[in-house]
Amino acid sequence: MTDSATRLMLLDTASLYFRAYFGVPDSFKAPDGTPVNAVRGLLDFISRLVGDYQPTHLACCWDNDWRPQWRVDLIPSYKSHRVVAPLRTEGEGGKHWLEEVPDPLETQIPVIEDVLAAFGIAVVGADGYEADDVIGTLATGAGMPVDIVTGDRDLFQLVDDDADVRVLYVARGVGRHERITNGVVKEKYGVDATQYADLATLRGDASDGLPGVSGIGEKIAASLLRKFGDMESLRAAAEDDGAELSPGQRRKLLDAADYLEVAPRVVAVARDLDLGAPDLTLPLTPVDPEGLAALSERWGLDSPAARLVETLTSLRR
C-alpha cells in the first residue's frame, strides 16, 4: 500500500545534465565566461518536473561509480566504449574508470552540486554503484508513489503498478516525456516490466556494451520470455531436449551459456544498498538562501534559480 498524500521523485541526474548540456545553447555563460548551460538546463528541468508532478520528496541520484568494477569483472565490455582513460585510481571498491565527458560539462558538475546543496535538494550516491542502483534501492519499498525520471530504458525493470512506481522517460525530451507503466512496457516490448531485465540481457544493449545472445533479437527474446517466464526457466529449457525450443534457439542459448551466467547480475538494478537514512523531503524554500544568491551571481544563474524558488514556493499554496 502507498500513501497517496506523498510522492517521491527520483532523478537520474547524469541523464538529465547530459541532456541539458547538449540541448541548451552553450552561449549561456557565467560572467567569467564559463559555460553554464548544463546547470541552467538541469534547474529548469527540475522546475518543470516538480511543477508538473508536485512531489513531496525528491532525490538527485548520483553516479558515484558510473562503471563499477564488479560489473566489469563479470562482463569486461561493460561500457568499455565510453572509457577515455584505462585507469584513474585503485582504491576501495577496486578500479575507477574515467568516463568520456566534454570538458565544458565536466567543469559544471561541481557547480550543479553546490547549487543543489544550497537549495537543500538531496543528492544520494553509493560508492561502487551507479545512480541506477541508488534509484532501485530508493524506489523499492518507498511506501509512496514513485516517479523515476530517466532517459535509460534499463530502469523499466523497476516499473511496478501495484507499488505505484513508474518511469518518466525523457528520451525524446523532458517536455515530451512518456509515462511508463507496466501496460506501456507490455505494449512496447511484449513482456511485463518484471521481465524487462531478462529481455535486455537476451537482446543486448550496444550503449552499455552488452553483447546479448547472438541471433536472439528483441521480438524472439520477448516470445521466449512469454513462453518460459524468466531467464532461469529459459536456461533450464535450453538444457532440456524435450522443451519447446527450436534447434536453432536451443543452440544459440547454449552457446551463450557463459554470458547468460553473469549478465543478469550486471543488468539487474540493485535494490538493497545501504544508503543510510537520507532526508528526501523536498524543501519549499532554499536551505541556504545567501549561498544560493552568491552562486547565482557568480555563475549567472539568477533566472533559472528564481524559477525553481518560485516553483518550490508555489507548492505551499
Side-chain angles (χ1 to χ4, degrees), residues 18-315:
F18 266 94
R19 185 166 300 278
Y21 173 76
F22 288 107
V24 177
D26 60 8
S27 56
F28 286 105
K29 299 180 185 296
D32 67 358
T34 302
V36 290
N37 54 334
V39 188
R40 293 178 65 98
L42 178 63
L43 291 177
D44 281 339
F45 289 164
I46 295 175
S47 293
R48 180 165 192 160
L49 291 162
V50 168
D52 287 350
Y53 291 96
Q54 301 191 358
T56 55
H57 297 72
L58 185 143
C60 284
C61 301
W62 213 258
D63 282 318
N64 279 22
D65 193 339
W66 71 278
R67 189 179 186 238
Q69 184 60 37
W70 64 269
R71 283 191 165 109
V72 176
D73 289 341
L74 293 170
I75 298 183
S77 62
Y78 183 66
K79 294 186 177 180
S80 60
H81 60 294
R82 304 188 204 174
V83 176
V84 293
L87 182 65
R88 183 170 58 192
T89 60
E90 184 92 43
E92 186 176 354
K95 298 176 182 177
H96 299 274
W97 305 89
L98 185 61
E99 184 180 14
E100 184 174 10
V101 178
D103 288 341
L105 173 56
E106 186 79 33
T107 61
Q108 296 182 61
I109 295 174
V111 182
I112 290 170
E113 294 181 277
D114 289 344
V115 173
L116 292 174
F119 271 104
I121 294 173
V123 173
V124 185
D127 290 345
Y129 290 92
E130 303 172 54
D132 288 7
D133 302 306
V134 175
I135 290 170
T137 297
L138 293 175
T140 301
M144 66 182 83
V146 180
D147 289 322
I148 298 167
V149 183
T150 185
D152 186 352
R153 293 187 300 172
D154 288 346
L155 292 175
F156 290 179
Q157 65 186 274
L158 296 174
V159 168
D160 185 339
D161 288 359
D162 291 336
D164 209 351
V165 177
R166 64 185 176 182
V167 168
L168 306 181
Y169 186 50
V170 298
R172 294 189 300 173
V174 172
R176 302 174 60 203
H177 66 265
E178 299 176 81
R179 298 183 185 93
I180 306 298
T181 61
N182 188 64
V184 175
V185 173
K186 197 163 188 175
E187 181 180 355
K188 283 178 175 286
Y189 302 102
V191 296
D192 287 323
T194 55
Q195 299 170 299
Y196 186 82
D198 286 341
L199 176 77
T201 298
L202 291 166
R203 175 195 64 204
D205 189 339
S207 68
D208 281 340
L210 298 174
V213 176
S214 179
I216 301 290
E218 187 169 277
K219 290 184 178 179
I220 294 176
S223 69
L224 291 173
L225 290 170
R226 287 195 299 271
K227 180 182 291 186
F228 296 102
D230 57 28
M231 185 67 72
E232 183 178 356
S233 299
L234 177 57
R235 294 191 66 201
E239 299 281 354
D240 179 2
D241 290 339
E244 289 186 46
L245 277 172
S246 72
Q249 290 171 347
R250 187 185 311 280
R251 175 47 49 199
K252 289 167 184 173
L253 291 167
L254 291 175
D255 286 348
D258 290 345
Y259 166 76
L260 293 176
E261 180 68 27
V262 298
R265 283 179 279 166
V266 174
V267 175
V269 170
R271 300 175 186 240
D272 58 356
L273 302 183
D274 182 4
L275 300 175
D279 183 2
L280 306 184
T281 305
L282 181 63
L284 302 184
T285 57
V287 298
D288 182 6
E290 293 182 359
L292 180 60
L295 288 166
S296 297
E297 180 178 2
R298 177 180 177 185
W299 299 111
L301 302 173
D302 288 342
S303 296
R307 283 191 289 271
L308 183 50
V309 169
E310 183 178 356
T311 298
L312 295 174
T313 303
S314 71
L315 297 180

